[in-house]
């Protein structure tokens, strides 16, 4: 699957001057919600991501809300298991709301659209572990971490993309006076 082409075709590959969550600046940004709003593309992505983990005996797939909700759903559908999500708890962590059942000993796959620092998927894992479940692996559409994300379990992505990022003080886009867009 040519993931970058999917982002391009759906207008989800943005070009400009972006402030990433890491605090760094980048000329490119992958807006996954723009890609995943199309059920046809979303299901194709879920199927491809599910294929990377089909050997695992899983009980559910979980992703961080909001960006990981659709991805967890389509991946879980491809794998024939439940789809859950974790939400921000307002104190820097994440939690799983009442009504989404997690039983002690269950095994799960955690997913996120684009992993840069891996912070929100890590909090999602902790939320499920707090209910006694075990994380078997982490999946992403795109790994932008440059191999720096370390989850302690296998981490597989459909694509590794290494877009340039800059510290604000040495950003050539800032020097050219391009307006900065928060994403
Ligand atoms: Zn900049």
């Amino acid at each position: 699957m040519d993931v970058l082409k999917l982002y391009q075709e759906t207008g989800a590959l943005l070009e400009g001057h972006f402030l990433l969550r890491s605090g760094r600046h980048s000329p490119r940004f992958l807006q996954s919600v723009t890609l995943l709003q199309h059920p046809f593309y979303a299901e194709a992505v879920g199927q491809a991501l599910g294929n990377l983990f089909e050997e695992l005996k899983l009980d559910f797939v979980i992703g961080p809300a909001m960006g990981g909700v659709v991805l967890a759903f389509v991946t879980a559908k491809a794998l024939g298991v439940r789809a859950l999500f974790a939400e921000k708890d307002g104190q820097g962590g994440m939690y799983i709301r009442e009504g989404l059942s997690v039983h002690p000993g269950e095994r799960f796959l955690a997913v996120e659209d684009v992993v840069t620092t891996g912070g929100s998927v890590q909090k999602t894992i902790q939320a499920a572990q707090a209910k006694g479940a075990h994380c078997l692996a982490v999946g992403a559409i795109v790994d932008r971490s440059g191999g720096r994300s370390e989850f302690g379990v296998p981490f597989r992505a459909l694509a590794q993309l290494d877009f340039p990022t800059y510290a604000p003080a040495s950003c050539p886009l800032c020097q050219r006076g391009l307006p900065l867009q928060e994403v």
Side-chain angles (χ1 to χ4, degrees), residues 17 25 171 173-174 180:
H17 182 200
H25 296 187
C171 174
L173 306 164
C174 282
L180 183 65

Side-chain angles (χ1 to χ4, degrees), residues 60-143:
F60 63 86
V61 179
I62 188 167
M66 293 294 298
V69 175
V70 169
L71 183 63
F73 180 88
V74 291
T75 307
K77 188 181 176 204
L79 289 165
V81 299
R82 300 188 334 265
L84 277 65
F85 54 86
E87 297 169 79
K88 288 188 176 137
D89 65 7
Q91 290 158 5
M94 298 194 97
Y95 79 105
I96 299 168
R97 67 163 65 192
E98 293 288 322
L100 291 175
S101 45
V102 176
H103 305 291
E106 285 195 316
R107 299 142 60 99
F108 67 93
L109 168 69
V111 296
E112 189 171 21
D113 51 355
V114 178
V115 166
T116 46
T117 61
S120 46
V121 77
Q122 195 69 61
K123 289 172 191 168
T124 299
I125 292 169
Q126 285 162 358
Q129 284 174 335
K131 291 183 170 282
H134 302 298
C135 183
L136 296 195
V138 174
I141 307 175
V142 176
D143 176 9

Side-chain angles (χ1 to χ4, degrees), residues 17-19 24-26 166-175 178-180:
H17 182 200
F18 302 101
L19 173 60
R24 293 175 69 83
H25 296 187
S26 178
Y166 308 106
S170 57
C171 174
L173 306 164
C174 282
Q175 285 157 20
L178 283 179
L180 183 65

Side-chain angles (χ1 to χ4, degrees), residues 13-35:
L13 173 61
L14 307 184
E15 311 258 359
H17 182 200
F18 302 101
L19 173 60
L20 305 179
R21 269 172 291 173
S22 63
R24 293 175 69 83
H25 296 187
S26 178
R28 291 173 123 188
F29 182 71
L30 296 168
Q31 188 66 274
S32 301
V33 291
T34 302
L35 166 64

